[in-house]
């Protein structure tokens, strides 16, 4: 069961997709909402959780989406924070809409996130329902890819909760062929995500963000 993490006067809801990403270091810091894999499951679970918290007048001051991501250009096993999130599945271009833009919704293709942690490398993040591998990266207009963050961001928007997205690069340099190609670096990513979360706590306590 997830629990809000209190940092000074601020509360944080941590959201992760899958248990293999929730390693021993992160387990010492917080209890996340496990939203499941992909945009549909994450949208359902996060919206449900935020609705319950809203009914209790207990919405978090910030939601942190964290876990692994793929990239063919960023350093493997390093952690990056997303400066923006886009939705690569959306393509209504035959009707004249820009690729990535949801028709009749007043949102840009790239949605800029409001807070950045000083000293943590940045990258643009693309969300979709597919695992990207090999040559498929050539079609992605972002430095890293995941399967949940855009959906989580849309849920956050409905409840006016700001979001931070942290991702450790688990794969992308070579084509994925088996499960261990994804899990190989998860222990290292767990340690580095934990260090990054501690940095987030420090800037919240200092008042630099929120």
């Amino acid at each position: 069961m997830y629990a809000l993490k209190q940092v000074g006067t601020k509360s944080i809801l941590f959201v992760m997709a899958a248990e293999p990403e929730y390693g021993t270091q992160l387990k010492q810091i917080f209890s996340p909402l496990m939203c499941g894999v992909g945009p549909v499951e994450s949208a359902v679970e996060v919206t449900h959780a935020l609705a319950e918290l809203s009914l209790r007048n207990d919405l978090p001051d910030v939601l942190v989406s964290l876990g692994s991501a793929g990239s063919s250009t960023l350093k493997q096993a390093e952690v990056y924070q997303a400066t923006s999130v886009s939705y690569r599945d959306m393509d209504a271009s035959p009707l004249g809409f820009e690729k990535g833009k949801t028709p009749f919704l007043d949102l840009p293709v790239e949605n800029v996130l409001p807070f950045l942690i000083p000293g943590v490398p940045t990258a643009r993040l693309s969300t979709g329902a597919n695992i990207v591998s090999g040559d498929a990266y050539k079609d992605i207009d972002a430095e890293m890819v995941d399967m949940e963050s855009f959906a989580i961001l849309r849920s956050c928007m409905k409840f006016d909760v700001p979001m931070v997205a942290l991702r450790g690069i688990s794969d992308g340099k070579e084509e994925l062929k088996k499960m261990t190609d994804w899990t190989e670096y998860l222990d290292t990513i767990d340690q580095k995500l934990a260090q990054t979360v501690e940095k987030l706590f420090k800037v919240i306590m200092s008042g630099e963000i929120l």
Side-chain angles (χ1 to χ4, degrees):
M1 179 63 181
Y2 74 90
L4 296 184
K5 176 73 175 184
Q6 199 70 26
V7 179
T9 61
K10 306 299 182 182
S11 61
I12 305 172
L13 174 60
F14 287 94
V15 177
M16 303 187 75
E19 287 289 343
E21 298 174 321
Y22 185 44
T24 56
Q25 300 300 310
L26 292 177
K27 285 177 179 176
Q28 297 178 38
I29 303 175
F30 59 78
S31 298
L33 168 67
M34 286 295 181
C35 67
V37 175
V40 173
E41 296 306 312
S42 53
V44 169
E45 294 299 326
V46 174
T47 300
H48 180 250
L50 291 178
E52 285 190 328
L53 291 168
S54 179
L55 287 172
R56 303 203 306 254
N57 293 315
D58 195 25
L59 282 170
D61 292 293
V62 64
L63 182 149
V64 178
S65 166
L66 74 170
S68 64
S71 177
S72 62
T73 58
L74 300 177
K75 190 173 181 180
Q76 307 288 279
E78 290 297 329
V79 168
Y80 296 83
Q81 59 186 327
T83 55
S84 65
V85 183
S86 56
Y87 184 29
R88 64 179 178 271
D89 289 347
M90 180 55 66
D91 186 2
S93 55
L95 299 181
F97 295 95
E98 183 182 1
K99 188 176 185 301
K101 184 172 178 60
T102 302
F104 317 118
L105 184 66
D106 188 21
L107 280 180
V109 171
E110 276 193 68
N111 294 268
V112 177
L113 299 185
F115 305 122
L116 293 177
I117 307 166
V120 178
T122 60
R124 295 156 62 231
L125 176 61
S126 168
T127 292
N130 64 314
I131 291 176
V132 179
S133 180
D135 289 341
Y137 278 103
K138 296 177 181 177
D139 298 324
I140 306 296
D141 184 22
E143 291 79 48
M144 57 183 179
V145 298
D146 82 341
M147 301 175 72
E148 296 84 27
S149 289
F150 181 84
I152 295 170
L153 177 62
R154 290 294 294 125
S155 296
C156 287
M157 288 177 173
K158 284 293 184 182
F159 293 91
D160 199 26
V161 174
M163 187 180 95
V164 171
L166 303 174
R167 286 290 180 273
I169 306 303
S170 58
D171 56 85
K173 289 296 185 184
E174 298 180 3
E175 191 166 355
L176 288 170
K177 297 180 180 179
K178 55 186 182 300
M179 180 69 77
T180 54
D181 293 340
W182 168 54
T183 59
E184 180 180 2
Y185 296 124
L186 291 187
D187 285 345
T188 302
I189 288 171
D190 171 60
Q191 296 173 16
K192 293 183 178 181
L193 280 173
Q195 294 167 1
T196 305
V197 168
E198 294 293 351
K199 289 180 181 179
L200 173 63
F201 291 169
K202 288 179 181 179
V203 296
I204 290 176
M205 290 294 291
S206 69
E208 291 181 61
I209 63 173
L210 298 183

